[in-house]
Amino acid sequence: MKRAVFIAACFAFLLAMTGCGSDRRDVALSSGTYYAVGDYEELLTPYLILNTDDQSFMLGAGAVFSYAEMGSFTTKENKVIAVSQDTTFTFEIKDSKTLVLIGSGDNDYFKLPEKTEFVLSGDQC
């Protein structure tokens, strides 16, 4: 009886682990700081920091602003869905170094236009 329970538990664990990792294998997303592409003044370039190790993000309006949206993100169907306490941001994954903002929910603080591209900074450690 114990052996049957153990085998069933192992099988359930393997099925659960297979389902959890399926979305992340499709996307070659890089950790780091992504900056908005556009004509921004120095230190006023919007940024997105992604940490793929713990699935966290930070989205800020520029280096001179202390406020930034923070939360966690998931990847699904070639999209990054970043959820903070206030809103949900959706980015399309153009490639491993470029994300395109396709939705910013009802966020009043960040007034970024849709289709804003965020490109991974080349000066990562």
Side-chain angles (χ1 to χ4, degrees), residues 57-115:
F57 83 95
M58 182 183 311
L59 179 64
V64 296
F65 297 104
S66 62
Y67 178 80
E69 289 285 340
M70 294 182 284
S72 62
F73 73 91
T74 57
T75 56
K76 187 171 184 174
E77 298 175 3
N78 207 36
K79 291 183 176 51
V80 173
I81 299 137
V83 180
S84 71
Q85 190 171 6
D86 297 327
T87 193
T88 300
F89 300 95
T90 307
F91 298 88
E92 180 179 16
I93 302 171
K94 188 172 181 181
D95 57 47
S96 65
K97 298 182 186 227
T98 309
L99 302 173
V100 180
L101 180 67
I102 58 174
S104 58
D106 57 354
N107 190 306
D108 292 329
Y109 185 72
F110 293 109
K111 299 290 186 192
L112 295 173
E114 286 190 15
K115 304 295 184 190

Side-chain angles (χ1 to χ4, degrees), residues 24 28-34 48-56 73 96-97 120-121 124-125:
R24 294 182 70 188
L29 194 61
S30 300
S31 287
T33 304
Y34 294 74
L48 171 67
I49 299 173
L50 292 181
N51 184 337
T52 57
D53 293 335
D54 65 2
Q55 301 295 103
S56 65
F73 73 91
S96 65
K97 298 182 186 227
L120 183 64
S121 174
Q124 298 298 312
C125 298

